[in-house]
Amino acid sequence: MSSLAVRKAAPAAGTTPGTAQGPPLRRRIALVPTLTLLLGALYCLLPVAWVLIAATKSGRELFSTFTFLPGSGFTQNVKDLNAYRDGIYWKWMGNSALYAGLGALLSTAVSALSGYALAIYRFRGRETVFGVLMAGVLMPPVILAIPQYLLLAKADLTDSYASVLLPLILSPYGVYLARIYSSAAVPGDVVEAGRMDGASEWRIFTRIALPMMVPGLVTVFLFQFVAVWNNFLLPYIMLSDDEKFPITLGLFTLLEQGSNTPALYTLVITGALLAIVPLIALFLVIQRFWSLDLLSGAVKS
Amino acid sequence: MTTARRKSYGVKGAPYAFLLPATILFALFFALPIGYALWLSLHKVQVKGLGLGSGARKEVWAGLANYKDALSDSELLSGAVRVLGYGAIVIPVMLGLALLFALMLDTDKVRLAPFTRLAIFLPYAIPGVVAALLWGFLYLPDVSPFYFVLDKLGMPQPNLLDGGPLYLALSNIAVWGGTGFNMIVIYTSLQAIPAEVYEAAKLDGATPLQIALKIKIPMVAPSLVLTFFFSIIATLQVFSEPTTLKPLTNSVSTTWSPLMKVYQDAFGKGDIYSAAAEAAIIAVVTLVLSFGFLRAANSRNKQEAAR
């Protein structure tokens, strides 16, 4: 197929690939789509490239040298960040890992149980339960977070790890994904065969269905991991002790203080870089296990 | 006989048992808070005398007074207008780009597709706060490469963190963060279109552009509806990006977006009653807008199917 003539004409007209009727010897690259995608990639990578370079600059270099010129202060910046309030930065990272890891794990477990039940069984109130759970997607987080805060305050649970973990375990979107995936991946015959063999429903779920659901559940886990790692509003409302902050809230407070003491800007920038590195690494490593198509609710059988 | 009955009983009870954890969590962290918020929104505090001592502050029935106040609150209204303007930029640009990239990825002979797909999806992994922080620095004249280039070229340097450009600056953060996710959703449904669908069109001599416009886009319409739906919800709830930019500029007020206003009223002013009423109004607007959109999209689909 020839290149798509959409929007922009190919800038390098001389290298325009042959059309469908053109000589077969010309290199057949869809130039416009490739260039468009490269521009998109450039746009998306630009801030990441910037923070990579900015983190190498000392406080003075940050404001005086050309932005895309590497500086000489990276090790000093990391040292400063380590030293800042006895390494509270790493505490924030650890907290984020805890919130996101444990939260996503529990959330995946609840999603798996509910999704499986909603996909496999026919029972009274099934669609009602599903509909009510799904309405949760539409609830603005703040309409939940404020009364959640007040209720948790009555239970003396605010400003605790539990206050950030518990409200995020039930994820309507996770249940939705798990339901779609179990109905596609777990055949009814297999469940029926398990029953014939006298296995309990719980056993059928854990021994037969769960292994079949693993690829879908990996997606649910990663989706929830990213959602909790990126969450800002809930910890912002729940927590006041900065020892319990996740990294998003920690960096935010650092930036807020930075508006009075610009020296903190280098700390914020270095901190932002170190905060996105593990997530990008995680992303690159597991993208092959992650069925992205599931995010759209489409399951290839 | 007895075993058979016990088994069928087990089957009948099983789904309810499996749904128990979700039900408990829903009751505790969704239903109860929503009910409590509605209760709060219909109450207010009555202060006796100086408001000191026990019993001086009492929660009393307020009826719809909090709602009336919220609806006539100019700050909340201008926040809503700001977010509408912001959404009017974000949604078309983000989904337009997502559709464009998805179509390009779906083209034959495109090079570097896996790399570019991953690069465009990457911002999804970066927290909104960190994204806003990175872009915030790129908007600061002292550290931004854009200003450096403009300066060298001797061009005027707009203030990206004030007035009209502030909308573009904020919208850009949302577009940057959201395009990749939506691109994946659309791209996936493009991949699901069977190849035979294109065969006839190719035989008829349709150009790739015609195939994209006449076949691909209509066939991914359900995905576009889904992405629109999620984008509307996300836009109405914008909070962390403007909150993050706040320390970098004086132009983002504490009540820039409706959610920020709710937060400010609840925790800044300590008026949880007004905040609850405002939050309820935002929830209703979200529901009306998103379901209205879904209905409109459905009826259009039906009309097209009828034709």
Side-chain angles (χ1 to χ4, degrees), chain A residues 79-156:
Chain A
K79 271 186 203 154
D80 289 349
L81 190 65
N82 279 334
Y84 178 73
R85 301 221 6 239
D86 292 329
I88 195 167
Y89 176 85
W90 298 106
K91 183 101 192 163
W92 294 336
M93 287 287 270
N95 289 340
S96 268
L98 178 77
Y99 290 130
L102 190 58
L105 204 63
L106 292 170
S107 182
T108 308
V110 172
S111 299
L113 270 173
S114 328
Y116 174 78
L118 289 165
I120 301 299
Y121 297 101
R122 303 277 170 276
F123 58 96
R124 272 177 80 92
R126 184 174 73 138
E127 289 312 311
T128 315
V129 171
F130 186 64
V132 169
L133 285 178
M134 284 313 104
V137 179
L138 299 174
M139 278 301 141
V142 83
I143 201 182
L144 291 169
I146 290 176
Q148 275 169 355
Y149 173 84
L150 298 169
L151 291 167
L152 284 167
K154 284 188 177 157
D156 223 7

Side-chain angles (χ1 to χ4, degrees), chain A residues 83-271:
Chain A
Y84 178 73
R85 301 221 6 239
D86 292 329
I88 195 167
Y89 176 85
W90 298 106
K91 183 101 192 163
W92 294 336
M93 287 287 270
N95 289 340
S96 268
L98 178 77
Y99 290 130
L102 190 58
L105 204 63
L106 292 170
S107 182
T108 308
V110 172
S111 299
L113 270 173
S114 328
Y116 174 78
L118 289 165
I120 301 299
Y121 297 101
R122 303 277 170 276
F123 58 96
R124 272 177 80 92
R126 184 174 73 138
E127 289 312 311
T128 315
V129 171
F130 186 64
V132 169
L133 285 178
M134 284 313 104
V137 179
L138 299 174
M139 278 301 141
V142 83
I143 201 182
L144 291 169
I146 290 176
Q148 275 169 355
Y149 173 84
L150 298 169
L151 291 167
L152 284 167
K154 284 188 177 157
D156 223 7
L157 275 173
T158 46
D159 203 17
S160 69
Y161 283 99
S163 65
V164 176
L165 256 174
L166 293 175
L168 295 173
I169 295 176
L170 179 64
S171 150
Y173 197 50
V175 175
Y176 168 74
L177 292 180
R179 180 187 183 173
I180 291 181
Y181 201 80
S182 11
S183 59
V186 184
D189 305 350
V190 176
V191 176
E192 206 48 56
R195 278 182 199 141
M196 293 296 213
D197 291 344
S200 69
E201 294 301 309
W202 177 249
R203 213 179 144 79
I204 293 171
F205 171 66
T206 52
R207 294 295 163 87
I208 303 172
L210 215 47
M212 291 174 162
M213 289 165 67
V214 164
L217 294 182
V218 170
T219 306
V220 174
F221 177 86
L222 291 172
F223 183 79
Q224 274 304 102
F225 188 93
V226 172
V228 181
W229 186 284
N230 293 357
N231 197 337
F232 175 73
L233 185 70
L234 191 72
Y236 187 58
I237 286 178
M238 291 291 175
L239 302 175
S240 53
D241 171 13
D242 63 8
E243 292 276 325
K244 299 191 185 88
F245 280 6
I247 191 70
T248 47
L249 195 49
L251 284 174
F252 172 74
T253 47
L254 210 54
L255 179 71
E256 232 178 4
Q257 290 162 19
S259 58
N260 303 319
T261 19
L264 285 176
Y265 276 170
T266 37
L267 284 192
V268 178
I269 289 168
T270 313

Side-chain angles (χ1 to χ4, degrees), chain B residues 245-260:
Chain B
L245 282 192
K246 204 153 54 74
L248 297 174
T249 169
N250 292 325
S251 303
V252 180
S253 63
T254 50
T255 55
W256 193 87
S257 86
L259 278 208
M260 289 167 78

Side-chain angles (χ1 to χ4, degrees), chain A residues 1-7 27-30 32-34 36-41 43-48 50-51 62-68 110 113-114 116-118 121 123-125 129 132-133 136-152 154 166-167 169-170 172-173 175-176 195-196 198-199 201-202 205 223 226 229-230 232-233 236-237 248 251-252 255-256 259 265 268-269 272 275-276 279-280 283-284 287 290 292-296 298 300, chain B residues 7 10-12 14-16 18-19 21-22 25-26 28-30 32-34 36-37 40 97 100-105 107-113 115-130 133-135 137-138 140 142-146 148-149 172-173 175-176 179 181 183-185 188-189 191 202 207-209 211-212 216 223 226 229-230 233 237 239-240 243-248 259 262-263 266-267 272 275-276 279-280 282-283 286-287 290-291:
Chain A
M1 203 202 279
S2 69
S3 61
L4 274 184
V6 184
R7 282 167 49 123
R27 279 194 309 150
R28 309 187 100 195
I29 303 174
V32 172
T34 306
T36 312
L37 287 169
L38 277 175
L39 277 178
Y43 165 62
C44 288
L45 293 177
L46 178 82
V48 182
W50 177 82
V51 75
L62 182 64
F63 293 102
S64 60
T65 59
F66 173 58
T67 24
F68 280 108
V110 172
L113 270 173
S114 328
Y116 174 78
L118 289 165
Y121 297 101
F123 58 96
R124 272 177 80 92
V129 171
V132 169
L133 285 178
V137 179
L138 299 174
M139 278 301 141
V142 83
I143 201 182
L144 291 169
I146 290 176
Q148 275 169 355
Y149 173 84
L150 298 169
L151 291 167
L152 284 167
K154 284 188 177 157
L166 293 175
I169 295 176
L170 179 64
Y173 197 50
V175 175
Y176 168 74
R195 278 182 199 141
M196 293 296 213
E201 294 301 309
W202 177 249
F205 171 66
F223 183 79
V226 172
W229 186 284
N230 293 357
F232 175 73
L233 185 70
Y236 187 58
I237 286 178
T248 47
L251 284 174
F252 172 74
L255 179 71
E256 232 178 4
S259 58
Y265 276 170
V268 178
I269 289 168
I276 60 180
L279 224 57
I280 291 178
F283 224 64
L284 294 177
Q287 46 134 343
W290 193 353
L292 284 174
D293 44 346
L294 185 59
L295 287 178
S296 60
K300 280 184 217 141
Chain B
K7 215 180 339 175
V11 173
K12 274 190 179 159
Y16 300 104
F18 283 7
L19 282 166
L25 288 166
F26 186 86
L28 283 178
F29 294 105
F30 284 79
L32 194 61
I34 292 169
Y36 188 45
L40 284 172
L97 281 178
L100 176 71
F101 291 145
L103 286 170
M104 298 287 128
L105 278 175
T107 313
D108 290 345
K109 306 281 187 300
V110 67
R111 293 295 161 95
L112 298 168
F115 161 74
T116 51
R117 191 179 62 195
L118 193 64
I120 296 170
F121 186 53
L122 190 73
Y124 168 72
I126 295 173
V129 170
V130 176
L133 198 150
L134 294 182
W135 281 106
F137 280 112
L138 288 171
L140 278 186
D142 288 340
V143 288
S144 171
F146 310 130
F148 187 90
V149 171
N172 174 55
I173 300 172
V175 169
W176 183 77
T179 299
F181 180 84
M183 172 191 79
I184 293 288
V185 172
T188 309
S189 44
Q191 295 272 290
K202 275 188 200 159
T207 65
L209 180 61
I211 292 180
K216 289 185 177 180
S223 294
L226 188 79
F229 182 71
F230 279 124
I233 297 174
Q237 301 175 3
F239 180 86
S240 48
T243 305
T244 311
L245 282 192
K246 204 153 54 74
L248 297 174
L259 278 208
V262 173
Y263 178 87
F267 298 102
I272 51 175
I282 296 170
T286 309
L287 287 174
S290 41
F291 276 113

Side-chain angles (χ1 to χ4, degrees), chain B residues 46 93 269:
Chain B
Q46 202 168 55
V93 173
K269 286 193 198 156

